[in-house]
Amino acid sequence: MTAPMPDEEDGCLSGEEVGRLDLRADARAPRLVRRWLRSFVDDAGTLELLASEVVTNSVLHGPDAVISVVLRRSTKTIRFECTDQGQGTPTGRNAAETDEDGRGLLLLSALARTWSAETTMTGTTVWFELAPS
């Protein structure tokens, strides 16, 4: 799992952990994560969108196993982390207008304050940060 990155504005780690969820890597996972996020954040629109993209990528590209998600919050940052047991590194692609997928990393780059991915011996974690609404 990635270590929290320092928040440059308030000097704290990227937030206290406010929730953790482990779930099966199947088609229901993105919907379950969106519902789970709403229990922590009132206006979770962008958070739900990006989390859904990251979780969907874990379901599609990770092994059929367990996905772990963590939500962290500080006064300046909301951080979402998704870990699967895969060893791949996320790579973007140029989706055609008619493609139904292939835009997740583009959305992360456009909407997140920052994001990254780390692969360790036990899996891959993709995380992103947003300013709280």
Side-chain angles (χ1 to χ4, degrees):
M1 176 99 52
T2 57
M5 301 297 289
D7 186 312
E8 294 176 10
E9 292 182 42
D10 63 11
C12 70
L13 295 179
S14 289
E16 297 293 321
E17 183 177 309
V18 295
R20 179 179 296 267
L21 178 67
D22 295 325
L23 61 160
R24 293 189 52 77
D26 64 27
R28 297 172 298 173
R31 176 178 42 86
L32 295 172
V33 168
R34 287 190 304 269
R35 183 182 311 149
W36 176 77
L37 287 171
R38 283 183 224 124
S39 67
F40 298 104
V41 180
D42 291 332
D43 182 16
T46 302
L47 177 61
E48 284 184 55
L49 172 66
L50 295 181
S52 187
E53 291 291 333
V54 170
V55 170
T56 297
N57 283 346
S58 285
V59 170
L60 294 175
H61 303 294
D64 184 21
V66 175
I67 297 171
S68 297
V69 296
V70 175
L71 186 66
R72 299 178 189 280
R73 187 172 210 153
S74 74
T75 57
K76 304 282 185 189
T77 303
I78 294 175
R79 179 183 174 110
F80 179 85
E81 302 170 1
C82 179
T83 302
D84 62 42
Q85 296 170 1
Q87 294 298 307
T89 301
T91 56
R93 66 182 180 94
N94 293 324
E97 282 186 35
T98 56
D99 289 348
E100 293 184 9
D101 60 3
R103 294 174 188 82
L105 297 182
L106 181 64
L107 286 170
L108 273 175
S109 295
L111 300 175
R113 178 191 247 177
T114 186
W115 75 275
S116 189
E118 284 188 13
T119 301
T120 66
M121 297 292 285
T122 58
T124 300
T125 298
V126 176
W127 60 265
F128 64 86
E129 293 181 353
L130 300 170
S133 48

